[in-house]
Amino acid sequence: MAELYHRILKWLDERFGAGAVEDFLRHKTVPLHRYTIWYYFGGMTLFLFVIQVLTGILLLLYYRPTANDAFESVQYIVTQVRFGWLIRSVHSWSANLMVFTAFVHMFSVYFLKAYRKPRELTWISGMLLLFIVLGFGFSGYLLPWNTLAFFATKVGTDMAGFVPIVGKWILVFLRGGPEVTGATLTRFFGFHVAVLPGLATLLLAMHLLLVQQLGMSVPPSVERSIAEGRAQPRSMPFFPNFLLRDIIGWYVALGTLGALAAIFPWELGTKADAFAPAPAGIHPEWYFLFMFQTLKYLPAKIGFIDSELLGLMAFGLAGLVWLVVPFLDYKAGFGRVTRFFTGLGVFALGYMVVMSALALR
Amino acid sequence: MDPADRGQPEGAQPSRRWISLLLGSGVLASIASFLYPAIRYIIPPPLAESSSRSVVAAKVGDLKNNSGVVFKFGSEPGILVRLADGQYRAFTAVCTHLSCTVQYRADLREIWCPCHNGLYDLAGRNVSGPPPRPLQAYEVHIQGEDIVVSRSA
């Protein structure tokens, strides 16, 4: 058996240098310090993404992306197809957990200043991936064509219409017309299963390549104590030590997903009706709640401007600042921790948590 | 750099520039000719605007006093409200805030948008919450058994 394994490895090595992969695995290490736990969230997000791809492909076998059929086809999946309820619930739960772990990953990278030089591009590719994940969430939410999703999409795409100059164009592009109709559903389906997966694969490859190229970032405080001789640099091999720990985490995630899907199966709701009033208690997915709640608090007009435009501009600006934070906080590249940026992170996290909590009240 | 240094005859430089310009603009023009149809394809053709200026929203007797119903008016929803005194009022049901569909709240005697808690009074005026403008009002006529709603010209 071992003989066969070595012969296969030798055969591959002669063709593309498989030894390099083995070498790479042997030499890659992960720094060990009191923040090592945060290194696991990127891998966890990746694992949940793989779950999304696999369950998504399974859902594609029965799902039909038209206004007449979509709701019924999901109903068919969860009531008739064997284990359809499980596949669909795992897809929904895993999507939510993935958004959650992506946010945890993002905030841990932010607070540990892992975005500092030379990892600016890793941060930017990660942020773009986060935007894509939110796009997956927004487009996927509509696909069952139920009432909640219908109105959430109406509101979400209506907001795009407030963008100056190109807003109306974006709105029509997203909806496939001036209103949310079956054309919107077909478009969102295309975004969800073709456009976004393509972009995500490209960005993910870039993100992982950069992570491999640059290695794991060591937080400034740990770096300092090593430089001052107060601590010894410690590390563990990536393969198999770190990967095995990763796998334990993934195994726990799988168990959690199965349990959540079985105990709290994802609801389907009622079929969307364009000529029914919006139901009371309507709200978007939890990760958009902080924006939703902000919109509720804004008055009709602030000064001369529609407050929607102002709110949209504020969130757009905040997103932009967050995207380019490695360049604003360039001092972190010299190991200097600027209070302002840590404070900004605390404020952003606090704002999101408090606003979401108020929305759920 | 002096063209002579590269062993090229005098005057070769302008023609080289011309060739670059022609090739460059040719490539740009071909890219534009690929992109233009693609961009036009992305924008859907406009829907035929519903020509009907009026619609039968409900039958007389369908609505109790102090209640409302959402009806289909062309490609948009409208709302028909029967006031406590039996009068009818009709408006577009598209909230002026973010286009959710509004509903009648009998307890408040106002028109309510559940999406962001916007309120309109029974004249369609935005009275609280985020809506920036009043709801557009429609005319209501009773023709026999039909309650006919029409856009004012």
Side-chain angles (χ1 to χ4, degrees):
Chain A
M1 207 45 205
E3 171 68 10
L4 183 67
Y5 170 75
H6 282 291
R7 273 177 65 188
I8 291 172
L9 212 66
K10 187 160 171 287
W11 191 93
L12 290 173
D13 195 30
E14 282 166 358
R15 267 124 200 117
F16 72 93
V21 178
E22 216 192 338
D23 259 11
F24 165 77
L25 282 178
R26 198 174 308 130
H27 291 121
K28 183 176 165 61
T29 59
V30 176
L32 266 179
H33 46 74
R34 64 179 180 279
Y35 301 117
T36 297
I37 179 106
W38 300 108
Y39 290 143
Y40 291 98
F41 283 90
M44 180 65 88
T45 309
L46 180 60
F47 174 73
L48 292 170
F49 180 73
V50 171
I51 299 278
Q52 288 309 90
V53 173
L54 297 179
T55 50
I57 290 171
L58 290 177
L59 290 173
L60 274 177
L61 299 181
Y62 295 101
Y63 178 74
R64 293 191 299 273
T66 65
N68 282 332
D69 290 343
F71 183 83
E72 284 78 1
S73 71
V74 177
Q75 212 166 34
Y76 178 75
I77 289 172
V78 297
T79 58
Q80 302 295 317
V81 181
R82 269 162 294 177
F83 292 110
W85 60 273
L86 181 68
I87 303 296
R88 194 234 162 190
S89 269
V90 166
H91 194 73
S92 303
W93 273 112
S94 174
N96 282 275
L97 289 187
M98 178 172 75
V99 173
F100 178 74
T101 58
F103 268 109
V104 171
H105 180 51
M106 187 265 281
F107 273 112
S108 70
V109 165
Y110 183 90
F111 286 120
L112 295 174
K113 311 273 177 196
Y115 54 71
R116 69 191 190 280
K117 189 187 170 192
R119 295 184 177 78
E120 298 97 323
L121 293 176
T122 321
W123 169 264
I124 287 181
S125 61
M127 279 302 290
L128 294 179
L129 276 168
L130 183 68
F131 292 146
I132 286 182
V133 163
L134 295 179
F136 267 120
F138 185 64
S139 57
Y141 196 51
L142 179 68
L143 299 186
W145 200 243
N146 55 28
T147 311
L148 270 180
F150 178 80
F151 285 104
T153 306
K154 236 176 139 101
V155 170
T157 49
D158 212 69
M159 274 167 62
F162 283 95
V163 175
I165 305 164
V166 290
K168 288 282 166 280
W169 190 88
I170 298 176
L171 185 139
V172 169
F173 163 69
L174 287 173
R175 288 184 177 174
E179 301 292 331
V180 175
T181 59
T184 318
L185 177 64
T186 306
R187 264 179 198 224
F188 272 39
F189 176 70
F191 298 148
H192 193 79
V193 307
V195 179
L196 293 175
L199 288 175
T201 306
L202 214 73
L203 278 165
L204 194 59
M206 208 178 115
H207 194 68
L208 293 177
L209 204 73
L210 283 166
V211 171
Q212 296 317 321
Q213 192 73 28
L214 298 168
M216 303 292 212
S217 158
V218 177
S221 62
V222 177
E223 253 181 358
R224 214 172 315 120
S225 48
I226 290 171
E228 290 167 1
R230 284 184 283 118
Q232 288 297 312
R234 292 183 304 142
S235 65
M236 75 164 112
F238 173 76
F239 185 82
N241 302 37
F242 189 79
L243 190 63
L244 283 175
R245 284 167 172 77
D246 253 343
I247 290 172
I248 291 172
W250 299 346
Y251 207 69
V252 170
L254 262 186
T256 310
L257 276 176
L260 284 172
I263 302 168
F264 307 106
W266 209 262
E267 277 189 34
L268 182 53
T270 53
K271 187 174 176 169
D273 177 0
F275 297 102
I282 184 168
H283 61 81
E285 290 272 66
W286 61 270
Y287 39 88
F288 292 123
L289 279 179
F290 71 100
M291 290 197 259
F292 165 79
Q293 191 65 15
T294 308
L295 284 182
K296 272 192 173 179
Y297 287 144
L298 289 178
K301 284 197 189 265
I302 298 172
F304 296 104
I305 331 177
D306 265 5
S307 61
E308 266 53 60
L309 179 60
L310 222 61
L312 202 72
M313 271 170 26
F315 281 122
L317 194 70
L320 192 68
V321 165
W322 207 252
L323 181 68
V324 299
V325 80
F327 303 104
L328 302 175
D329 186 17
Y330 62 93
K331 282 183 186 160
F334 314 122
R336 300 234 303 270
V337 175
T338 315
R339 274 235 186 89
F340 174 77
F341 287 99
T342 309
L344 190 69
V346 172
F347 174 76
L349 185 59
Y351 185 86
M352 288 167 79
V353 169
V354 169
M355 278 300 195
S356 307
L358 284 173
L360 287 174
R361 215 170 31 140
Chain B
M1 191 195 285
D2 183 355
D5 288 352
R6 283 186 288 173
Q8 286 171 357
E10 199 72 28
Q13 203 66 340
S15 61
R16 182 178 287 254
R17 211 178 292 141
W18 267 109
I19 290 171
S20 302
L21 191 72
L22 284 174
L23 273 177
S25 50
V27 168
L28 281 182
S30 63
I31 289 175
S33 72
F34 302 146
L35 283 182
Y36 181 73
I39 291 168
R40 288 310 295 261
Y41 180 88
I42 288 171
I43 300 295
L47 294 175
E49 190 68 22
S50 119
S51 57
S52 70
R53 303 205 59 84
S54 60
V55 69
V56 176
K59 300 278 181 199
V60 171
D62 279 358
L63 268 84
K64 293 190 295 256
N65 285 1
N66 193 25
S67 71
V69 68
V70 172
F71 60 93
K72 186 175 185 304
F73 196 175
S75 60
E76 284 187 354
I79 184 165
L80 178 69
V81 177
R82 189 167 188 193
L83 309 187
D85 63 5
Q87 276 189 68
Y88 289 102
R89 297 263 169 89
F91 306 94
T92 173
V94 181
C95 181
T96 56
H97 178 225
L98 291 172
S99 303
C100 271
T101 308
V102 299
Q103 57 186 268
Y104 182 67
R105 282 278 296 263
D107 52 339
L108 302 173
R109 300 204 172 180
E110 286 187 306
I111 296 168
W112 178 59
C113 179
C115 288
H116 302 93
N117 211 13
L119 277 175
Y120 302 87
D121 67 13
L122 294 175
R125 287 184 294 248
N126 45 322
V127 286
S128 91
R133 281 176 301 279
L135 294 173
Q136 192 203 335
Y138 297 141
E139 286 169 12
V140 185
H141 299 284
I142 312 264
Q143 293 175 357
E145 285 296 293
D146 294 337
I147 303 171
V148 178
V149 171
S150 46
R151 291 177 218 273
S152 23

